[in-house]
Amino acid sequence: MASSTSQLEKALPPSEHDLSTDEGMLAYLNQHTPFSTSYVTRLSGGFANWTYRATLESPYKFVDDVNQSRALETIVVKFSSDVAAAFAGVALDLYRTKAEIAALKLINGLNLPNFRGMGTTQKLPTSATQPAIFLPELLSYDTTNHVGCYVDLGPLPSLKQYLIDHPGPDAVELAAKVGDLLGQFLAGLHLWGYQVSHTDPYILDIYRQSEGAKKICAWRTIEFVEESAKEYNIDGNWEKITETLKREVLDSNDTFNMGDFWTGNILMELEGPANPRSLKALYVLDWELVKTGPASTDIAQFAAEAFMLRQYSGRATSGSGTSDEPTDASPAGEALLVSFLEGYERHVKKSSTDNMTSRSSGTSVVEPSYERGKSIQDVLLDSRSVIGHLCAHVATIGKTVSWANRETTERTVRRVLELMITNHQSDTTSSLKDVLTALEVK
């Protein structure tokens, strides 16, 4: 980054251009920013925002925070509005843009597992022997028009697309490595958030006020569970089940919550064509749904997507690949799911043990005042909550994915709906291994 995030924020005059069009964004960039642009291209995907790749007339040169000279030929531009880009008429809260920019600044200064903040003096990894996790690198942000300009990472594959394309045994080692790295990273973020929510809660005030993000996260899957249950003729106390899940999203302030932690928001940088499955870096994108909330929803969203990769991206049992034929489980998808949950739980338990050891020697951090007799493991490793939100995700989003066949989709959705009923009636445990057991994985 050229400078700190706060220095990159500017309130420019309101734009007279339609920033939801290529032509309008091109005019805006040339009129209001230092990025002289030849043309812009709308990038596909994305629910909330309009995202473009801008090709510059000449390289944009700057010196970043580790004193490296950089020259960019393209940048990525994201425009946020009070309506969703993908669904006309769906209103969105622009407070999400303030929270996202604040989160990028905050997290870049944290010491998290496998993470390298852009504001640190650590150099980027030079080989796949020590892969690291990064955030998007902000170049400028217009607080009036809600336009952010970012370093373009290029045509990197998302984790989701990579494992759809490489579902077999040859990608298992890579998938397991990615899952472990991301599980530890997320656990570190949640541990930090839980700690400061008890010791310095003002740090999370901006995210605690992200009511729009909470409503989106409660709406996007839970709202449609009962509709799926009716479609599959599965009777249950769906009003009570879904209300419990909604209240967990809307009422909890347990920790810092990323809000959109899934395989489509993870980009992978590999070590070049000679060794395509050697991981160099991971980039975690789209932090605009950041908020306070339960750790379980972040865990569940990623685990649900990994579970769907396991269920849906395997090869047809006969090899014919017809749309209504069941598929074998993808070993790469399963490796991602298992290693993610194991990495998350291992880091939480190790950190808890280390903190107990340091307390005995008088060197620990301030111990949070645990609520209702719960330990930090009880809060961060709540298996029943994870299973509930995971099943809600698969039962709604998982029934419409374009890359799954009909028979496997129906079998999987029916299975998670039935699991939601039994899970709602069960006692919770402080172990994510019970999530794998419930899903009949490993």
Side-chain angles (χ1 to χ4, degrees):
M1 289 159 53
S3 57
S4 70
T5 306
S6 58
Q7 293 174 314
L8 299 174
E9 296 179 60
K10 295 182 179 179
L12 299 178
S15 177
E16 66 274 23
H17 307 292
D18 182 356
L19 302 183
S20 66
T21 67
D22 294 6
E23 297 79 8
M25 181 55 70
L26 176 63
Y28 166 86
L29 289 171
N30 285 323
Q31 182 176 345
H32 294 293
T33 76
F35 308 110
S36 298
T37 302
S38 297
Y39 60 92
V40 300
T41 304
R42 175 87 182 272
L43 300 179
S44 61
F47 163 77
N49 307 300
W50 288 261
T51 306
Y52 305 89
R53 173 169 285 117
T55 300
L56 307 182
E57 292 181 347
S58 59
Y60 175 73
K61 299 178 180 180
F62 68 102
V63 177
D64 64 18
D65 280 354
V66 292
N67 295 318
Q68 293 179 329
S69 296
R70 310 272 292 278
L72 307 177
E73 296 183 354
T74 61
I75 61 171
V76 168
V77 184
K78 184 166 76 171
F79 163 57
S80 303
S81 176
D82 57 1
V83 295
F87 295 93
V90 175
L92 297 175
D93 185 354
L94 275 169
Y95 186 86
R96 71 188 194 277
T97 63
K98 176 181 178 180
E100 179 177 31
I101 298 302
L104 294 179
K105 178 181 179 181
L106 172 67
I107 298 168
N108 266 315
L110 298 181
N111 181 22
L112 300 175
N114 311 311
F115 175 67
R116 298 193 183 181
M118 293 298 181
T120 71
T121 57
Q122 295 173 298
K123 294 181 179 179
L124 302 180
T126 57
S127 73
T129 58
Q130 192 179 4
I133 297 170
F134 298 89
L135 300 190
E137 190 171 358
L138 184 68
L139 296 167
S140 67
Y141 185 72
D142 175 357
T143 59
T144 304
N145 298 294
H146 308 289
V147 177
C149 297
Y150 296 84
V151 170
D152 185 4
L153 298 171
L156 299 181
S158 71
L159 174 57
K160 174 182 175 178
Q161 191 59 54
Y162 189 89
L163 291 185
I164 290 174
D165 295 338
H166 303 84
D170 56 341
V172 165
E173 184 178 355
L174 173 62
K177 179 187 289 186
V178 171
D180 185 61
L181 290 170
L182 291 171
Q184 291 186 58
F185 167 77
L186 186 64
L189 185 62
H190 287 165
L191 283 161
W192 171 84
Y194 185 79
Q195 176 75 28
V196 299
S197 72
H198 290 81
T199 58
D200 300 292
Y202 69 91
I203 294 176
L204 299 181
D205 279 351
I206 186 173
Y207 314 109
R208 198 174 290 109
Q209 297 168 26
S210 294
E211 295 298 326
K214 291 193 174 197
K215 290 177 182 177
I216 290 173
C217 291
W219 165 81
R220 65 187 174 192
T221 58
I222 303 168
E223 186 69 26
F224 305 100
V225 166
E226 191 167 359
E227 177 183 310
S228 292
K230 289 180 180 178
E231 180 180 342
Y232 284 84
N233 296 314
I234 297 179
D235 294 328
N237 191 349
W238 293 110
E239 183 177 353
K240 186 174 181 179
I241 292 171
T242 55
E243 183 61 22
T244 297
L245 295 175
K246 285 180 184 178
R247 294 268 58 91
E248 289 178 359
V249 176
L250 296 172
D251 297 344
S252 171
N253 293 300
D254 284 341
T255 187
F256 184 92
N257 196 266
M258 193 275 187
D260 209 12
F261 198 77
W262 71 292
T263 53
N265 277 344
I266 312 294
L267 298 186
M268 303 170 62
E269 184 176 358
L270 304 175
E271 188 70 313
N275 193 8
R277 289 182 176 83
S278 293
L279 182 67
K280 184 177 180 181
L282 297 168
Y283 299 88
V284 183
L285 310 182
D286 289 345
W287 291 76
E288 65 186 74
L289 294 182
V290 65
K291 54 186 173 47
T292 54
S296 58
T297 54
D298 275 347
I299 301 169
Q301 185 180 13
F302 188 92
E305 290 287 332
F307 180 65
M308 289 193 294
L309 285 168
R310 175 193 187 267
Q311 295 295 103
Y312 298 157
S313 62
R315 301 307 184 196
T317 52
S318 71
S320 66
T322 57
S323 63
D324 57 354
E325 183 181 1
T327 55
D328 292 324
S330 159
E334 180 167 315
L336 179 71
L337 171 62
V338 172
S339 62
F340 170 73
L341 293 176
E342 289 182 345
Y344 185 100
E345 180 164 342
R346 185 175 65 252
H347 187 75
V348 169
K349 289 186 173 180
K350 180 180 184 300
S351 297
S352 299
T353 301
D354 289 348
N355 193 44
M356 290 177 65
T357 301
S358 59
R359 284 212 316 273
S360 67
S361 63
T363 60
S364 72
V365 295
V366 177
E367 179 73 9
S369 55
Y370 298 130
E371 299 168 352
R372 301 182 299 279
K374 288 186 176 182
S375 71
I376 195 166
Q377 291 188 32
D378 292 334
V379 174
L380 299 188
L381 302 176
D382 185 343
S383 62
R384 184 174 64 180
S385 183
V386 171
I387 293 169
H389 290 283
L390 183 157
C391 289
H393 188 103
V394 177
T396 53
I397 293 176
K399 72 176 185 179
T400 59
V401 293
S402 60
W403 40 276
N405 68 62
R406 183 169 60 251
E407 198 281 338
T408 303
T409 299
E410 291 179 356
R411 185 182 68 224
T412 300
V413 172
R414 182 175 297 277
R415 179 177 163 192
V416 297
L417 285 167
E418 292 170 347
L419 178 55
M420 286 187 78
I421 297 172
T422 57
N423 179 69
H424 181 71
Q425 299 167 343
S426 66
D427 295 328
T428 191
T429 66
S430 300
S431 175
L432 299 184
K433 293 179 182 177
D434 292 327
V435 178
L436 296 173
T437 300
L439 295 173
E440 301 177 4
V441 175
K442 201 176 180 180

